[in-house]
Amino acid sequence: MSKKAFIFDLDGVIVDTAKYHFLAWQKIAKSLNINFTHEDNELLKGVSRVRSLDIILGLGNVQATQEQKDQWLIQKNDDYLSYLVDMDESEVLPGVLKILKLLKDKNQGIALGSASKNARPILEKTGVLSYFDVIVDGNDVTNAKPDPEVFLKAAQLLNIDPKNSIVFEDSVAGIQAANIAEMVSVGIGEETILHEADHIFKDFTQIETSFIEELIG
């Protein structure tokens, strides 16, 4: 059995913290009289916090100083973290644990590749931290997806060739990053949005054991 690198995004893949990001960004937008919808929120998937703020300000044609931006970024993160206080195992998305357990049993390399700077506490609160051999998050990289830095670094830390790596992502930018890195891309979500992925599943409950075993080879 060959050893592959299985790299997971966090938000919208392992846990559904996307809803908390949305609420925190919406609060900032509302304070600036910007109408920020769920559709607008799709633009922020897989994108850094700094870039996300720029996108929201662009939606409302709001000009701001760097000092104002820094203040809003801190406020957004504080609001987001306040939503995470009560997180527990129930926040792990359906079907994820089954796949993580299977990969662990088969001695595969398991990594997190996420733009989130709060990845470690989230994994700890939801009880899945021990499944991951490597964690690469927003604190460890300088380039946001679709730049493949986060995934390439995860593969490097696992000491596994990028071409023997599989990425699970729910964002267009994340799928593009995996493709640029010449990794197998598995989209979790809507086919119409993630059509660039090599494989697409609505969620992890649709992923059969045989599919994972085929990826391992």
Side-chain angles (χ1 to χ4, degrees):
M1 185 189 297
S2 58
K3 186 164 185 173
K4 301 284 181 70
F6 286 82
I7 307 170
F8 296 80
D9 179 40
L10 178 65
D11 297 336
V13 175
I14 298 293
V15 292
D16 185 18
T17 51
K19 58 190 176 187
Y20 301 134
H21 283 294
F22 173 70
L23 289 171
W25 281 127
Q26 192 179 51
K27 187 174 176 183
I28 294 287
K30 190 175 181 181
S31 71
L32 299 171
N33 293 316
I34 298 171
N35 181 34
F36 182 64
T37 66
H38 282 284
E39 288 72 27
D40 296 328
N41 193 52
E42 287 294 317
L43 300 171
L44 310 188
K45 279 192 172 182
V47 175
S48 70
R49 195 184 308 163
V50 172
R51 178 68 187 130
S52 293
L53 177 60
D54 285 339
I55 289 171
I56 290 170
L57 294 178
L59 290 172
N61 292 314
V62 173
Q63 301 295 318
T65 64
Q66 190 57 50
E67 187 178 354
Q68 286 175 311
K69 289 183 180 181
D70 290 342
Q71 184 179 346
W72 292 329
L73 288 169
I74 291 169
Q75 182 185 332
K76 184 269 170 181
N77 197 48
D78 286 346
D79 287 337
Y80 172 67
L81 291 174
S82 72
Y83 295 125
L84 302 185
V85 171
D86 298 323
M87 282 190 83
D88 58 23
E89 292 87 347
S90 67
E91 296 275 359
V92 178
L93 289 168
V96 170
L97 277 178
K98 175 188 170 185
I99 301 301
L100 289 176
K101 286 175 181 174
L102 174 63
L103 293 173
K104 205 70 172 173
D105 289 344
K106 292 192 174 292
N107 195 34
Q108 296 300 297
I110 306 175
L112 189 87
S114 169
S116 172
K117 292 191 174 183
N118 302 296
R120 286 171 177 82
I122 290 171
L123 293 176
E124 196 167 3
K125 278 180 170 292
T126 54
V128 295
L129 183 62
S130 61
Y131 287 100
F132 292 88
D133 305 304
V134 163
I135 295 171
V136 182
D137 64 14
N139 299 296
D140 306 308
V141 295
T142 53
N143 300 306
K145 303 166 190 173
D147 189 288
E149 181 187 8
V150 66
F151 297 146
L152 291 172
K153 189 163 188 178
Q156 181 184 23
L157 290 172
L158 286 169
N159 199 28
I160 294 175
D161 192 303
K163 290 182 180 180
N164 288 324
S165 303
I166 299 96
V167 171
F168 294 85
E169 260 285 356
D170 73 321
S171 72
V172 173
I175 294 298
Q176 290 172 343
N179 291 341
I180 290 167
E182 297 185 23
M183 298 177 173
V184 174
S185 54
V186 182
I188 304 297
E190 299 296 331
E191 188 171 354
T192 52
I193 296 171
L194 305 176
H195 56 87
E196 293 177 58
D198 296 318
H199 309 276
I200 305 169
F201 298 92
K202 179 77 172 173
D203 55 42
F204 276 88
T205 64
Q206 293 190 345
I207 300 180
E208 300 288 347
T209 300
S210 56
F211 173 73
I212 298 297
E213 290 173 341
E214 193 176 317
L215 288 174
I216 294 171

